């Protein structure tokens, strides 16, 4: 027997004549069992197949007398030589017939030379075994080989070799002359790894198409090859039902400069996550299935064997002595060799490695040279603490660590430290295999029966895998196979067996395997009731029924074509009865029907005949069978017909028959329809046409009315009877002829007289003979015309109407207001009308009348084009009403009337500055920013405005000031700190004056702290102290930033930010270093540009220094009340709630009291007082003018008291509004309100 392992496939040729009774299936199960052993580990193909092949060879050797030759250098090929000579006989070469046909592929065969005892060589065929891991079921292989294999490749990729780090390219070519689209090409490594998802840095796939030769070229390029890239590759090409495949090998030779290495997949993990050797290969799963031998063997130091052995012998030693993690052990051996050195702290160090069974106990021993040295144990770098699992023991100079009840998590690297020295070891934990205690048994059954295959294993809930012909079965929800586990018992259940279930089923554990054959046969079939021939009228139901002896599925055929269920064709299967039902038969249902049961070579035939008398289908013509056609168009009237056999069709009009050939009017006949064709319809073609069908089953006739219609005549020219601003009104007469079809309505169009472009005005038909066009432009001449519409189409346009021009007056002027009043004149101003129109605006007319009269007097006899006019020569003290009109070519507009009478008397309004709210506090800007303040004021006549800064006149070269009638603006383009100060504004009207003060503060970044000194140095700490900066940037210092720098590098690092004190202690400094420190000051603008550095450096001495804790006195947090935010003078509107706010601090918490005009506010429902976090608020609900006055907030505690006050002025309300509407000047109303408040200080 010869056995080959090439590219991940195990192939075997068995010599049955030599007395061997080993089946390929058993070898396959052993090979797959090795792959299954560790389900959580995913190794590279070369590593896992090499180990699995060793196990397969061992079992094969136990069942044969052959000689095994195995070479670790080439794991992909091993040979088993028979003891005797010769090539196998012809009978030996034939495969055993077991119900399945093995696939043969010339691309997967090769010749291998094997050496015999006499030195001769023989050629052995190498074939891919059908039971090798990754192949499909025999049925799938047979289907693929027989129905899908074809020759598509015109050039196949050839095997090759490459050195590590070099590039290689494989090329496949496919001819596309007979292909309608591009074929699908896939590249694989081994049997299952699709390389399309691996494309990237080391693998590139490329495809090109040559149009002249029509050849597709597919390339796979391997870049910078690694040693583990070697192996078997496969290229597959598919196109529709065609398939072709080619295998080739890649050899990667080791470079002479680099040591051999293995590229381990990033997904590989060993059982102990988080260990320092995580990711190394774990061979524990591959060896779990080894049975535990009862005889005791002498202990052998595997470490010594590995140290002294040739690297090529490592895998043999690992297989022989049960090493579970060879890759990890070799890595650790390399690390151990690197760590071998004499130790001064240990007189005896740990052994290089320890091995223990799962659940066992292990003992680590070291011997110290100095028993007083402190010793610590570590596992994967984590210190081990004493517990019930880890026990420490001291015996003289020996230090012992016991690990109880070892688990797979204890498989790790351990080391022990004594002072500055350490020694380490490796612990390997082995897990016992799971064996099959009760094997599977062969079973025979019939199709449709329930099948259960059961076995028992040595452990409960063990990991067991099931296989069918070498293919693994999974417990998926929709799978026909159900896997059941009950303790140690494992069962495979097939609810309804089929012929496809004929196979060899096997179960594998980590320590054993068992297999059994399942045979499923068919019962003999009998036809209990055959199908019968039927003759059915068209539209009637067709029912075909048969009965067979077995309850199995089947297929229905019509004229040899497979029938499938649809909305019209129903297929029923109940027990042994099968029915085909067609609810409403059609002509196409006639034919030969046949039922074929599944899995049986039996058919049940019958014949169905459908008859149909002739019939006309006029459903689409309506109730009266009338067809309308437009004159001049072609009419093609198609009438569907039916009948079996095909009926004869005859057309006629009156007594005249219509022929099928020639003429403007003709008939055309088809198998399923007949057409009446009129090439150019005329009015005389209207009339009744008769169609008649006739065949041997009967006849059918119908009359069809054809009506020829046309578009209507155009209406007469329309009349425009009325014209408006942008509209007109028009009417017209209907057309004399409606075209033979009722009129549906009219379309109207218009255009400018000088234009040739008409615009449609209505998109919905106008049912009436009148219309009102809108949205026209004033002053432009227009014309209109009309179209008549019926069901046929639109008539020609009517003659256009006479030209007309829309025109209208403007809208009234807007915003009429009093601009100025003297003792004899009133000046009014207004805005132009919102809508002027096409007629334009010629000017305005201003009119007035005295109060008590209705006579309007024109103030300007001639039109004025300005929007301001002064009415002169008015008597002093009189009252007048004023109105204004806009005038254009269409006439005057509606007047705009001033709502109130105007008193002819000059009014003096006292000045009042309306200082914005944000300017009532300090206005802060940064250096370089612009200052632009607008302060509105009021007063009449125009007030005089003056500015002063800190009591002196303002320098206009630095500060720009602009004054207007209603406001004053102060502008500084780039603010400087010299612009800070108090700015006094004075507004004066005659002897009346109002003043306001604005505090402007221009801030900048501060200067550095004054002096920074090192107060003290102790241990790792330095105490610093400094003085605030001389220049605070015109803003409060909010903190300091402290940095340190090592004297050697002088690189500065921030230690503390936003520090508020002027002394600090810097900690966690490095002993032996020398430091400098520097400090930045910080205000609202940021850090100072420069920092103050210590003149001396601080040396952190290595020898310790006793630190004396300073004595700190308790800080006194008590504080007398102090207002941090005062009350602000406030103006309120009557009827709207007003609030007064201030903030205070103090310790103990002060008591807050509110007063109005020095009188305490107590239990007054109109006031609500509340405070939060030192913010005090007084809310006045719906104040009136009498709530104005001086309000005081007083804060008192045991250390003192403080108070702030403000003025509240309430304006508006009902009385204020009434006075204002009666024409009383505001300064008189103000004086009146002050007198009323003085007379009633406490109430209304």
């Amino acid at each position: 027997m010869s056995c080959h392992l090439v590219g991940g496939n195990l192939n075997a040729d068995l010599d049955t004549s030599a007395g061997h009774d080993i089946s390929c299936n058993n070898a396959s199960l052993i090979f797959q069992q090795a792959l299954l052993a560790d389900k959580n580990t995913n190794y590279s193909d070369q590593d896992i197949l090499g180990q699995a092949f060793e196990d397969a060879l061992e079992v094969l050797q136990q069942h044969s007398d052959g000689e095994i030759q195995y070479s670790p250098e080439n794991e992909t090929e091993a040979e088993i030589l028979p003891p005797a000579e010769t090539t196998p006989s012809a009978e030996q070469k034939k495969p055993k017939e077991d119900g399945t046909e093995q696939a043969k592929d010339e691309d997967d065969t090769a010749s291998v030379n094997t050496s015999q005892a006499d030195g001769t060589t023989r050629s052995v065929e190498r074939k891919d075994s059908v039971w090798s891991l990754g192949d499909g079921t025999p049925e799938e292989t047979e289907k693929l080989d027989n129905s899908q294999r074809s020759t598509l490749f015109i050039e196949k990729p050839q095997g090759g070799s490459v050195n590590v780090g070099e590039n290689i390219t494989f090329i496949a070519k496919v001819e596309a002359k007979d292909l309608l689209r591009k074929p699908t090409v896939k590249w694989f490594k081994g049997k299952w790894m699709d390389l399309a998802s691996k494309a990237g840095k080391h693998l590139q796939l490329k495809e090109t198409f040559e149009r002249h030769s029509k050849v597709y070229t597919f390339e796979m390029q391997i870049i910078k090859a690694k040693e583990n890239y070697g192996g078997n590759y496969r290229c597959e090409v598919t196109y529709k039902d065609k398939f072709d495949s080619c295998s080739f090998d890649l050899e990667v030779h080791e470079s002479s400069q680099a040591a051999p290495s293995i590229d381990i997949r990033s997904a590989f993990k060993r059982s102990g996550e988080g260990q320092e050797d995580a990711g190394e290969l774990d061979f524990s799963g591959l060896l779990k299935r080894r049975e535990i031998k009862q005889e005791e063997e002498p202990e052998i130091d595997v470490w010594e064997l590995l140290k002294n052995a040739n690297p090529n012998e490592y895998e043999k030693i690992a297989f022989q002595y049960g090493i579970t993690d060879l890759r990890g052990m070799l890595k650790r051996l390399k690390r151990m060799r690197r760590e071998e050195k004499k130790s001064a702290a240990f007189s005896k160090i740990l052994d290089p490695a320890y091995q223990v069974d799962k659940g066992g106990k292990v003992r680590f021993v070291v011997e110290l040279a100095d028993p007083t040295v402190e010793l610590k144990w570590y596992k994967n770098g984590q210190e081990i603490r004493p517990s019930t699992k880890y026990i420490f023991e001291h015996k003289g100079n020996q230090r012992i660590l016991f690990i109880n009840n070892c688990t797979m998590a204890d498989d790790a690297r351990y080391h022990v430290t004594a002072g500055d020295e350490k020694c380490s070891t490796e612990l390997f934990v082995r897990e016992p295999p799971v064996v099959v205690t009760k094997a599977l048994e062969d079973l025979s059954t019939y199709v449709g029966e329930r099948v259960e295959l059961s076995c028992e294993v040595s452990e409960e809930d063990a990991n067991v895998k099931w296989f069918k012909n070498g293919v693994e079965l999974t417990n998926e929800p929709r799978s026909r196979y159900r896997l059941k586990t009950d303790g140690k018992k494992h069962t495979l259940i097939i609810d309804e067996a089929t012929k496809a279930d004929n196979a060899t089923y096997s179960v594998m554990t980590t320590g054993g395997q068992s297999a059994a054959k399942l045979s499923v046969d068919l019962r003999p079939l009998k036809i209990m009731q055959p199908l019968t021939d039927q003759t059915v009228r068209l539209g009637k139901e067709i029912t075909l029924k048969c009965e067979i002896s077995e309850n199995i599925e089947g297929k229905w055929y019509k004229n040899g074509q497979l029938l499938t269920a649809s909305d019209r064709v129903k297929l029923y299967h109940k027990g042994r009865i099968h029915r085909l039902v067609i609810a409403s038969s059609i002509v196409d249902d006639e034919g030969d029907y046949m039922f074929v049961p599944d899995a049986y070579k039996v058919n049940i035939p019958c014949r169905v005949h459908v008859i149909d008398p002739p019939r006309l289908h006029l459903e689409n013509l309506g109730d009266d069978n009338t067809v309308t056609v437009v004159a001049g168009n072609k009419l093609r009237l198609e009438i569907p017909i039916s009948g079996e056999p095909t009926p004869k069709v005859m057309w006629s009009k009156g007594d005249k028959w219509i022929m099928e050939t020639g003429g403007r009017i003709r008939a055309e006949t088809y198998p399923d329809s007949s057409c009446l064709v009129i090439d150019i319809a005329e009015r005389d073609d209207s009339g009744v046409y008769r169609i008649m069908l006739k065949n041997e089953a009967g006849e059918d006739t119908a009359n069809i009315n054809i009506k020829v219609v046309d578009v209507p005549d155009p209406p007469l020219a329309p009349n425009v009877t009325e014209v408006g601003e942008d509209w007109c009104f028009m009417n017209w007469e209907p057309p004399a002829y409606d075209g033979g079809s009722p009129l549906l309505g009219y379309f109207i169009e218009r255009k400018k007289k000088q234009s040739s472009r008409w615009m449609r005005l209505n998109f919905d038909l106008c049912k009436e003979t009148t219309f009102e066009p809108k949205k026209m432009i004033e002053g432009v001449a227009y014309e209109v015309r009309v179209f008549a519409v019926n069901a046929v189409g639109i008539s020609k346009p009517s003659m256009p109407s006479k030209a007309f021009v829309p025109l209208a007056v403007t809208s009234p002027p807007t915003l009429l207001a009093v601009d100025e009043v003297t003792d004899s004149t009133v000046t009014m101003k207004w805005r132009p009308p919102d809508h002027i129109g096409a007629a334009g605006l010629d000017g305005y007319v201003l009119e007035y009348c005295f109060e008590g009269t209705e006579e309007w007097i024109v103030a300007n006899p001639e039109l004025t084009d300005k929007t301001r006019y002064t009415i002169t020569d008015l008597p002093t003290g009189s009252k007048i009403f004023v109105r204004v009109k806009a005038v254009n070519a269409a006439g005057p507009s509606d007047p705009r009337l001033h709502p109130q009478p105007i008193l002819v008397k000059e009014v003096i309004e006292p000045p009042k500055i309306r200082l914005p709210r944000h300017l009532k506090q300090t206005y802060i800007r940064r250096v370089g920013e612009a200052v632009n303040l607008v302060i509105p004021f009021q007063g009449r006549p125009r007030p005089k405005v003056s500015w002063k800064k800190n009591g002196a006149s303002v320098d206009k070269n630095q500060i720009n000031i602009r004054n207007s009638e209603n406001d004053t603006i102060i502008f500084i383009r780039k603010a400087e700190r010299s612009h800070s100060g108090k700015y006094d504004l004075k507004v004066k009207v005659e002897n009346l004056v109002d003043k306001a003060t604005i505090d402007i503060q221009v801030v900048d970044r501060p200067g550095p702290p004054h002096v920074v000194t090192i107060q003290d140095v102790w241990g790792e700490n330095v105490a610093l102290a400094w003085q605030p900066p001389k220049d605070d940037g015109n803003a409060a210092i909010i903190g300091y930033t402290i940095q340190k720098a090592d004297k050697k590098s002088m690189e500065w690092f921030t230690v503390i930010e936003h520090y508020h004190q002027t002394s600090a202690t810097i900690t966690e400094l490095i002993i032996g270093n020398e430091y400098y420190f520097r400090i930045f000051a910080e205000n609202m603008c940021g850090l100072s540009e420069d920092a103050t550095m210590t003149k001396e450096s601080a040396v952190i001495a290595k020898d310790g220094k006793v630190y004396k804790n300073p004595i700190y006195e308790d800080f006194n947090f008590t504080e007398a009340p102090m207002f941090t935010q005062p009350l602000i003078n406030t103006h309120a509107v009557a009827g709207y709630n007003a609030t007064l706010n201030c903030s205070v601090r103090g310790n103990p918490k002060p008591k807050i009291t509110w007063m109005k005009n020095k009188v305490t506010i107590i239990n007054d429902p109109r006031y609500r007082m509340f405070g939060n976090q030192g913010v005090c608020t007084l809310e006045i609900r719906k104040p009136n003018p009498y709530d104005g006055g001086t309000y005081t907030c007083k804060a008192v505690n045991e250390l003192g008291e403080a108070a702030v006050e403000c003025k509240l002025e309430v304006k508006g309300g009902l009385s204020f509004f009434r006075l204002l509407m009666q024409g009383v000047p505001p300064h008189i109303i103000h004086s009146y309100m002050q007198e009323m408040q003085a007379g009633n200080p406490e109430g209304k």
Side-chain angles (χ1 to χ4, degrees), residues 1 19-22 57 59-68 80-81 83:
M1 179 187 71
H20 304 301
D21 57 353
I22 310 171
L57 288 179
V59 176
L60 292 173
Q61 187 181 20
Q62 293 173 1
H63 294 78
S64 65
D65 298 331
E67 177 184 358
I68 298 179
I80 302 177
L81 302 180

Side-chain angles (χ1 to χ4, degrees), residues 1064-1109:
T1065 300
I1066 312 303
T1067 61
E1068 299 181 358
L1069 299 175
I1070 299 176
I1071 296 176
N1073 287 4
E1074 187 174 354
Y1075 293 93
Y1076 284 97
F1077 301 89
R1078 68 180 183 184
I1079 301 175
F1080 293 87
E1082 182 180 6
N1083 64 3
M1084 63 183 295
C1085 295
L1087 296 176
S1088 59
E1089 294 183 358
D1090 301 324
T1092 303
M1093 189 176 70
T1094 57
K1095 296 182 179 180
E1096 303 83 9
S1097 62
V1099 180
I1100 310 302
K1102 292 185 178 181
D1103 18 333
K1105 179 180 179 182
V1106 179
Y1107 173 73
K1108 295 181 181 180
N1109 292 325

Side-chain angles (χ1 to χ4, degrees), residues 294-308:
Q294 301 297 330
E295 63 274 9
E296 296 183 358
E297 298 179 357
E299 293 187 359
I300 299 177
D301 191 348
V302 182
W303 287 102
E304 292 298 329
L305 288 177
L306 292 173
K307 289 180 183 177
N308 302 323

Side-chain angles (χ1 to χ4, degrees), residues 706-981:
I706 296 179
K707 183 179 179 181
V708 180
V709 296
D710 202 352
V711 297
D713 291 341
L716 299 177
N719 298 319
V720 178
T721 59
E722 189 176 352
V723 176
E725 175 184 356
D726 60 347
W727 55 273
C728 73
F729 190 81
M730 58 182 289
N731 57 30
W732 61 91
E733 295 294 332
Y737 173 64
D738 61 1
S741 177
L743 291 177
L744 302 178
Y746 301 91
F747 284 122
I748 296 91
E749 292 184 350
R750 77 173 182 214
K751 75 175 184 67
K752 296 176 183 179
K753 184 177 180 181
Q754 297 179 352
S755 173
S756 60
R757 181 173 172 267
W758 290 90
M759 181 178 68
R760 180 161 294 181
L761 301 181
N762 62 319
F763 293 96
D764 295 329
L765 288 174
C766 176
K767 305 295 183 180
E768 306 294 334
T769 57
T770 60
F771 190 74
E772 185 180 349
K774 296 181 179 180
K775 298 183 180 179
M776 291 184 285
I777 302 174
E778 294 182 58
V780 177
Y782 287 92
E783 293 178 349
V784 292
R785 68 182 182 182
V786 182
F787 294 82
V789 181
N790 65 2
V792 179
I794 304 175
S795 70
K796 294 182 180 180
S798 69
M799 296 298 293
S801 68
K802 296 180 180 180
F804 61 93
V805 179
L807 198 60
V809 298
T810 68
S811 61
T814 59
L815 301 178
L816 178 63
V818 178
D819 187 33
E820 187 178 357
V821 179
T822 65
D823 290 339
S824 61
T825 63
V826 173
T827 302
M828 304 297 294
K829 61 181 180 180
W830 61 91
R831 298 291 298 166
D834 292 334
H835 177 69
I836 295 177
L841 178 63
D842 296 337
Y844 301 95
V845 173
L846 194 65
E847 299 176 342
Y848 67 94
C849 74
F850 292 98
E851 186 178 20
T853 66
E854 296 182 358
E855 181 183 358
W856 288 94
I857 304 172
V858 177
N860 54 326
E862 297 181 358
L863 295 178
T864 177
D865 57 352
K866 301 184 180 300
T867 57
R868 187 175 184 272
Y869 191 81
T870 301
I871 305 174
T872 58
D873 301 330
L874 296 174
T876 302
S878 61
K879 291 183 178 181
I880 62 172
F881 290 94
V882 180
R883 70 183 184 184
V884 63
K885 298 178 182 178
V887 182
N888 67 358
S893 68
D894 294 334
R896 176 68 65 184
L897 177 66
H898 191 272
Q900 300 295 334
I902 302 170
L903 178 63
V904 183
K905 184 178 180 181
E906 187 172 3
V907 178
I908 298 177
E909 182 180 352
K912 182 63 179 178
I913 300 174
R914 301 295 183 183
L915 193 64
R917 183 182 296 273
H918 69 280
L919 296 180
K920 294 180 180 179
Q921 302 177 3
T922 301
Y923 182 74
I924 301 175
R925 304 297 289 177
R926 295 188 179 184
V927 171
E929 294 182 347
V931 176
N932 188 12
L933 304 179
V934 180
I935 299 94
F937 56 80
Q938 65 184 28
R940 184 168 298 181
R942 178 173 178 173
K944 297 180 179 179
V945 181
S946 62
W947 284 91
K948 287 189 178 181
K949 175 188 175 185
N950 297 329
S953 300
V954 176
D955 186 0
K956 294 185 179 180
N957 294 328
Q958 297 183 359
I959 301 173
N960 298 322
I961 296 176
R962 185 187 67 81
N963 300 324
S964 67
E965 294 181 359
N966 300 318
D967 57 28
T968 179
I969 299 176
I970 182 170
F971 175 75
I972 304 175
R973 186 175 300 277
K974 291 185 178 180
E976 299 178 358
R977 290 177 58 181
S978 59
H979 294 147
S980 301

Side-chain angles (χ1 to χ4, degrees), residues 14-259:
L14 302 179
D15 187 356
T16 57
S17 66
H20 304 301
D21 57 353
I22 310 171
S23 68
C24 292
N25 192 31
N26 292 335
S28 173
L29 295 177
I30 294 170
F31 177 71
Q32 296 171 1
Q33 177 185 356
L35 298 178
L36 172 70
D38 195 343
K39 64 179 181 180
N40 295 326
T41 308
N42 184 18
Y43 304 117
S44 66
D45 301 336
Q46 187 176 0
D47 295 337
I48 193 168
L49 293 174
Q51 184 63 42
F53 184 65
E54 289 183 1
D55 299 336
L57 288 179
E58 181 180 347
V59 176
L60 292 173
Q61 187 181 20
Q62 293 173 1
H63 294 78
S64 65
D65 298 331
E67 177 184 358
I68 298 179
Q69 295 183 0
Y70 173 77
S71 176
E73 293 88 344
N74 185 9
E75 295 179 359
T76 61
E77 183 172 343
E79 301 171 354
I80 302 177
L81 302 180
E85 30 86 31
T86 79
T87 54
S89 63
E91 292 78 12
Q92 295 170 349
K93 290 184 179 180
K94 294 181 180 178
K96 294 181 180 180
E97 296 182 357
D98 54 356
T100 59
E101 181 180 356
Q102 308 299 331
K104 302 295 184 294
D105 186 2
E106 63 179 359
D107 295 330
D108 296 335
T109 61
S111 122
V112 179
N113 293 327
T114 58
S115 299
Q116 302 185 16
D118 57 0
T120 62
T121 63
R122 61 187 179 91
S123 177
V124 181
E125 254 189 347
R126 189 187 78 186
K127 306 180 180 68
D128 285 345
S129 173
V130 297
W131 47 263
S132 62
L133 185 65
D135 287 345
T137 62
E139 293 82 350
E140 295 172 351
T141 305
E142 180 181 357
K143 180 179 179 181
L144 179 64
D145 289 340
N146 295 339
S147 65
Q148 293 185 354
R149 269 294 170 91
S150 64
T151 302
L152 293 175
F153 286 115
I154 60 174
E155 180 180 332
K156 299 181 180 180
Q158 304 296 324
S161 62
V162 67
N163 293 329
V164 173
E166 295 181 355
N167 303 340
I168 188 171
T169 302
F170 297 95
I171 299 175
K173 293 186 178 181
V174 178
E175 188 173 10
K177 291 183 179 179
D178 300 330
L179 307 183
L180 299 179
R181 57 181 176 83
K182 185 182 71 175
T184 302
V185 173
K186 293 185 178 181
W187 300 84
F188 296 90
K189 184 176 189 294
K191 281 288 184 179
W192 54 81
M193 183 183 293
D194 190 349
L195 298 179
S197 60
K198 307 296 182 183
K201 179 179 180 182
H202 294 283
L203 177 67
Q204 292 184 1
L205 304 178
K206 181 182 178 182
E207 57 184 46
T208 57
F209 178 68
E210 299 177 5
R211 295 186 178 275
H212 300 291
S213 60
K214 293 187 178 180
V215 172
Y216 285 99
T217 302
F218 301 92
E219 299 181 4
M220 180 182 73
Q221 183 180 14
I222 298 178
I223 304 172
K224 296 183 180 180
K226 296 185 179 180
E227 187 174 355
N228 68 315
Y229 289 0
N232 180 257
Y233 289 79
R234 188 172 77 258
C235 179
E236 291 185 357
V237 57
T238 57
Y239 176 77
K240 293 186 178 180
D241 58 344
K242 298 181 180 180
F243 172 81
D244 204 352
S245 174
C246 176
S247 298
F248 56 95
D249 295 326
L250 171 63
E251 296 181 2
V252 182
H253 300 295
E254 182 180 350
S255 177
S256 60
Q257 291 83 2

Side-chain angles (χ1 to χ4, degrees), residues 686-711:
S686 298
V688 177
Y689 291 76
R690 185 169 181 266
I691 179 173
M692 182 174 64
L693 303 181
K694 188 175 182 180
N695 68 1
E696 61 186 23
E699 65 179 28
D700 190 13
T701 61
N703 293 328
I704 301 174
N705 183 26
I706 296 179
K707 183 179 179 181
V708 180
V709 296
D710 202 352
V711 297

